[in-house]
Amino acid sequence: MIRKATAADLDAVAAIYEAVLDREEATGCRWTNWERGVYPCRATAEKALKEKTLYVAEVGGTILGCANLNHVQPPEYAKIPWTVAAKPKEVLVIHTLCIHPDAAGGGLGRRFVAFAEGLAVGKGCRAMRLDTYEGNPPAAAFYPKLGYRLAGETEVFFEGFRRETLICFEKALTKEK
């Protein structure tokens, strides 16, 4: 089940972020641009919870995934040649979609994206947008499989601690008839 997060979910969400970082350290394979204690961390989840945009995937009573789903497009998105014409409130953005490493590859990411798309359609959105770190080949391959178009790339000063390049994706949404 994917649902809005509650305050009781914050420890589990923070634990997912830590599990991803632990896995990266253990394997030596760094696909994220994350920095322990900086981003994402419990404060990241708390901010999204306060804004009522934090969602979690719960399987068998355990939180195994999370994402921040909102209309916030970073200023750098203005540099991207988007093809779906949409007002800011007609775009839902997926931020920090994260699946616990122990559940990775089981389809939960696909279900989360499908949930986000359904949420967006219900809000009258015309497009989904998102970005991922250029050094994350699994994410770069994942989104096109779900119908997302690579829209471009942009350099950002990520969370005020690192310059990097993000690759951006979009998908046009159609309303159910």
Side-chain angles (χ1 to χ4, degrees):
M1 159 180 44
I2 299 172
R3 59 173 173 77
K4 272 199 172 182
T6 68
D9 299 321
L10 288 173
D11 287 342
V13 170
I16 293 170
Y17 300 153
E18 292 297 314
V20 170
L21 292 166
D22 290 346
R23 177 69 55 95
E24 287 185 342
E25 289 171 4
T27 63
C29 187
R30 295 222 21 137
W31 286 334
T32 72
N33 53 343
W34 298 354
E35 188 170 316
R36 194 179 299 275
V38 178
Y39 183 89
C41 59
R42 185 182 174 97
T44 307
E46 288 171 346
K47 182 176 185 275
L49 179 71
K50 182 179 178 183
E51 294 169 353
K52 298 180 175 30
T53 59
L54 182 64
Y55 290 80
V56 295
E58 183 176 352
V59 179
T62 303
I63 303 300
L64 294 175
C66 55
N68 183 8
L69 307 175
N70 63 32
H71 299 285
V72 177
Q73 298 181 74
E76 294 84 3
Y77 274 26
K79 301 173 190 173
I80 301 298
W82 305 108
T83 59
V84 180
K87 296 174 185 168
K89 287 292 184 188
E90 294 175 329
V91 176
L92 193 70
V93 183
I94 300 173
H95 302 278
T96 321
L97 172 58
C98 185
I99 304 300
H100 194 289
D102 293 343
L108 191 54
R110 284 179 181 272
R111 291 195 304 273
F112 219 123
V113 172
F115 172 85
E117 291 171 3
L119 182 68
V121 168
K123 291 177 175 275
C125 293
R126 297 173 48 86
M128 294 290 304
R129 293 183 181 157
L130 62 101
D131 60 69
T132 189
Y133 171 55
E134 70 177 337
N136 188 343
F142 174 68
Y143 291 106
K145 291 177 185 174
L146 302 180
Y148 284 76
R149 179 188 76 81
L150 176 61
E153 60 183 52
T154 185
E155 185 177 297
V156 299
F157 189 49
F158 187 75
E159 295 292 316
F161 71 88
R162 177 180 299 131
R163 290 209 179 280
E164 66 186 23
T165 300
L166 297 177
I167 54 176
C168 299
F169 295 88
E170 80 174 328
K171 183 176 185 179
L173 300 173
T174 57
K175 293 186 168 104
E176 298 292 322
K177 293 182 179 181

